[in-house]
């Protein structure tokens, strides 16, 4: 099943891996930076299972998440 996000097919997005991911692909969150910059919503997916459903959050919510993860590291 292809999910659409603002008219862009999810599989067509360029995904960026989290800096917290490891070389074997474990514990990896991916986000679509170019889409986020163009549309304001941030698509997020599990890098270990890219074909599974994803979610999109507001850029404000994404920033809160990123800031929180940075404090935990």
């Amino acid at each position: 099943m292809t999910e659409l996000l603002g008219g862009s097919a999810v599989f067509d997005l360029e995904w960026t891996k989290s800096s917290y991911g490891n070389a074997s692909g474990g514990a990896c969150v991916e986000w679509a930076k170019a889409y986020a910059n163009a549309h304001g919503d941030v698509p997020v997916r599990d890098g270990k299972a890219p074909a599974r459903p994803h979610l999109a959050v507001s850029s404000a919510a994404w920033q809160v998440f990123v800031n929180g993860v940075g404090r935990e590291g």
Side-chain angles (χ1 to χ4, degrees), residues 31 35-37 39-43 56-67:
W31 66 293
Y35 184 94
N37 289 339
H39 301 281
D41 291 330
V42 181
V57 298
S58 70
S59 57
W62 179 248
Q63 193 60 54
V64 168
F65 171 76
V66 170
N67 290 343

Side-chain angles (χ1 to χ4, degrees), residues 2-67:
T2 301
E3 295 180 44
L4 297 179
L5 187 65
S8 297
V10 172
F11 58 81
D12 288 339
L13 298 176
E14 182 177 334
W15 295 93
T16 301
K17 290 189 182 293
S18 163
S19 61
Y20 284 91
N22 61 35
S24 64
C28 187
V29 171
E30 296 179 338
W31 66 293
K33 181 178 181 179
Y35 184 94
N37 289 339
H39 301 281
D41 291 330
V42 181
V44 181
R45 73 179 183 182
D46 180 349
K48 298 181 309 274
R52 294 191 68 193
H54 68 283
L55 60 96
V57 298
S58 70
S59 57
W62 179 248
Q63 193 60 54
V64 168
F65 171 76
V66 170
N67 290 343

